[in-house]
Amino acid sequence: MICKKCTRLCQFIENNKKLYPDFFNAPVPNFGDKNGQFLIVGLAPGLKGANRTGRPFTADYAGDLLYPTLIKFGWAFGEYKAKADDGLQLKDAQITNAVLCVPPENKPLPEEINTCNEHLKQTIFEMNNLKLILSLGSISHKAVIKAFGLKQATYPFKHGALYKLPNGLYMADSYHCSRYNTSTKVLTHKMFEDVFVQIGKTLQR
């Protein structure tokens, strides 16, 4: 995948190619089943996580919580070893990010989020069996709402929130499963798993 739309992100990737020539250093593609009913939307690749491995959340600290949770609740199978070739597979689900390229300091600019929203729209509308989207964090949440052309004020971000959108799809919210959120107890394992319990009930799984 090649994209040159965001000058700052492209330059950051070029710099990282020199610093870390063995890294993936490119827009990180979606991972999973595009025919699935469940889509998870994160923020952006981590410099030494998904930007290194080329798979969303893989080798990022957040993946240490996300992937075992997906396995526990039947959305993935195999063993997560923080490597793109660990054999882990998603079941009836797909993972993407609001921004596909690694941003400096893990902070994409608003214009970069808006530019990458076209990819998010495409991902959503290509999932013909999609029933529910889980947004990890407020930036992801806002990106999803924008992708549908809905008003942000009508669907405020709140951990544990579940919305039924006008098109019939459901949207669930969780705090991002980042190292900061889990280490500060903004998000506990139980809080995260409770979101997946709610998703399972909503999808009758």
Side-chain angles (χ1 to χ4, degrees):
M1 183 185 298
I2 299 174
C3 178
K4 300 292 184 180
K5 293 181 180 179
C6 298
T7 303
R8 186 182 78 119
L9 299 187
C10 288
Q11 186 59 59
F12 190 56
I13 285 177
E14 288 303 313
N15 292 342
N16 286 318
K17 286 180 179 178
K18 299 172 185 176
L19 294 171
Y20 311 106
D22 296 330
F23 282 18
F24 185 74
N25 288 321
V28 175
N30 299 345
F31 172 53
D33 180 8
K34 69 177 183 180
N35 295 314
Q37 63 176 330
F38 182 30
L39 177 64
I40 300 157
V41 184
L43 172 55
L47 175 59
K48 296 183 179 180
N51 180 65
R52 174 169 67 83
T53 62
R55 192 176 76 180
F57 288 87
T58 302
D60 288 311
Y61 179 83
D64 293 342
L65 176 55
L66 176 61
Y67 283 118
T69 303
L70 291 173
I71 293 170
K72 179 175 180 177
F73 287 89
W75 296 107
F77 59 94
E79 185 178 356
Y80 174 63
K81 297 180 181 179
K83 299 185 297 181
D85 61 355
D86 57 15
L88 181 76
Q89 296 184 53
L90 299 189
K91 181 180 179 182
D92 204 21
Q94 187 172 210
I95 300 175
T96 191
N97 278 307
V99 176
L100 298 187
C101 294
V102 57
E105 299 179 352
N106 201 36
K107 294 179 180 178
L109 299 177
E111 57 265 34
E112 294 162 353
I113 298 169
N114 289 339
T115 297
C116 217
N117 202 254
E118 289 302 317
H119 173 268
L120 181 58
K121 287 180 187 177
Q122 182 179 354
T123 295
I124 291 170
F125 292 112
E126 284 181 349
M127 293 184 71
N128 295 325
N129 299 316
L130 182 62
K131 295 181 180 178
L132 190 147
I133 300 171
L134 170 61
S135 292
L136 299 178
S138 61
I139 290 177
S140 164
H141 170 95
K142 291 177 182 177
V144 172
I145 295 299
K146 179 177 176 61
F148 286 114
L150 300 173
K151 293 183 178 180
Q152 299 286 346
T154 306
Y155 305 94
F157 173 80
K158 182 180 179 183
H159 177 81
L162 179 68
Y163 296 106
K164 190 169 185 178
L165 305 180
N167 57 13
L169 294 179
Y170 288 94
M171 178 180 177
D173 283 341
S174 172
Y175 291 130
H176 195 285
C177 46
S178 65
R179 181 191 296 272
Y180 176 82
N181 283 345
T182 54
S183 64
T184 58
K185 303 300 181 183
V186 168
L187 178 69
T188 65
H189 285 210
K190 183 180 184 305
M191 288 169 64
F192 197 55
E193 290 190 354
D194 284 347
V195 170
F196 280 82
V197 169
Q198 180 186 52
I199 289 169
K201 290 178 179 177
T202 302
L203 297 179
Q204 299 180 342
R205 291 179 85 254

